Amino acid sequence: MANQVLAFDGKTWVDRTPQVFDGTTWRAATPLYWDGAEWRTGAPPPREFPSYAGNASSIVSGDVAELPVPADVRTGDLVVSVCAQQGGAALPSPLLAPAGVLPTVYTLRSGVRLLVAVWPWEPSRGSTTVWDTAGSTTTAVMNLLYRGGDTASVSLTPVVGITEHLGVNQVPLDASQDYTTLYAVLTVSDTLTGAAWPDGVIPRAQRLGRFGTQQISLMTADTPGAGASPGALRLDTTVETAAV
């Protein structure tokens, strides 16, 4: 029910709630909100397999990594923010913005740190993610958008699992779950120039480190849940470290 609007007519409070005629009768107007692209009366029903809606990515150096959320973000979209750091101190709250979002943090044996945060976007969350990356020589950051997800069931620990591999040119992918599964593969190498995902896995965003320099590369792809491993990501060189 719409919020009631009352106005004082000099003697008493009277109902002045906006009304619309539906062809039969006058009724209170349903409040609308702007989701970034259109006016809506409420959030659309969630889908089992949220659709990919865009990404932004960058490789940076320095103590802070800032990255905009894709410009076509809408209220209710799920933002998946991935930050891969080549070293640096472990911090209790590495995601500086948006405030109040806690990332899942994994530190690999190689010293590389993978951080993942997921949250439903709304205007108060702002248009930029900011990571504290003090001490990291190279940092790869990505923001990916997924539309139609069940925002009410977003876990505080969205990463299902992570596995590290040393000295490999293929990275086996874990079994996909019964929903859209996002794979993030990071490597440390100075000769990696490309990679090939297996059939059924859709490449999304990719940031490769500079050739000839021992740097992080970050690659992402997704697939609907199938309950089995879709195969392996094939790399065009043997990398020192890979994690998925």
Side-chain angles (χ1 to χ4, degrees), residues 172-176 183 197-201 223-224 226-233:
L173 305 177
D174 290 341
S176 57
Y183 292 105
W197 294 92
D199 291 342
V201 178
T223 186
S229 171
L233 174 68

Side-chain angles (χ1 to χ4, degrees), residues 98-121:
V101 178
L102 299 177
T104 301
V105 181
Y106 289 89
T107 301
L108 309 180
R109 288 174 294 171
S110 59
V112 172
R113 188 169 293 108
L114 177 66
L115 308 95
V116 181
V118 180
W119 68 91
W121 188 86

Side-chain angles (χ1 to χ4, degrees), residues 51-134:
S51 60
Y52 171 78
N55 78 82
S57 64
S58 181
I59 287 185
V60 300
S61 59
D63 291 342
V64 174
E66 296 187 37
L67 186 69
V69 174
D72 61 346
V73 64
R74 298 185 183 184
T75 297
D77 284 353
L78 286 174
V79 180
V80 181
S81 189
V82 183
C83 177
Q85 296 179 228
Q86 196 169 355
L91 302 172
S93 301
L95 184 59
L96 303 179
V101 178
L102 299 177
T104 301
V105 181
Y106 289 89
T107 301
L108 309 180
R109 288 174 294 171
S110 59
V112 172
R113 188 169 293 108
L114 177 66
L115 308 95
V116 181
V118 180
W119 68 91
W121 188 86
E122 59 181 40
S124 65
R125 297 288 195 180
S127 59
T128 304
T129 57
V130 182
W131 293 91
D132 187 334
T133 56

Side-chain angles (χ1 to χ4, degrees), residues 9 18 20 36-37 54 56 62 73 87 92 127-128 133 140 145 182 217 225 227 232 243:
D9 66 359
V20 294
V73 64
S127 59
T128 304
T133 56
L145 286 185
L182 173 65
S217 295

Side-chain angles (χ1 to χ4, degrees), residues 111-163:
V112 172
R113 188 169 293 108
L114 177 66
L115 308 95
V116 181
V118 180
W119 68 91
W121 188 86
E122 59 181 40
S124 65
R125 297 288 195 180
S127 59
T128 304
T129 57
V130 182
W131 293 91
D132 187 334
T133 56
S136 177
T137 54
T138 307
T139 301
V141 285
M142 288 182 180
N143 289 330
L144 300 103
L145 286 185
Y146 286 87
R147 188 159 295 152
D150 185 0
T151 58
S153 64
V154 175
S155 170
L156 292 177
T157 55
V159 179
V160 174
I162 185 168
T163 307

Side-chain angles (χ1 to χ4, degrees), residues 4 24 45 53 76 86 95 155 161 186 218:
Q4 189 177 30
T24 304
Q86 196 169 355
L95 184 59
S155 170
L186 65 90
L218 181 60

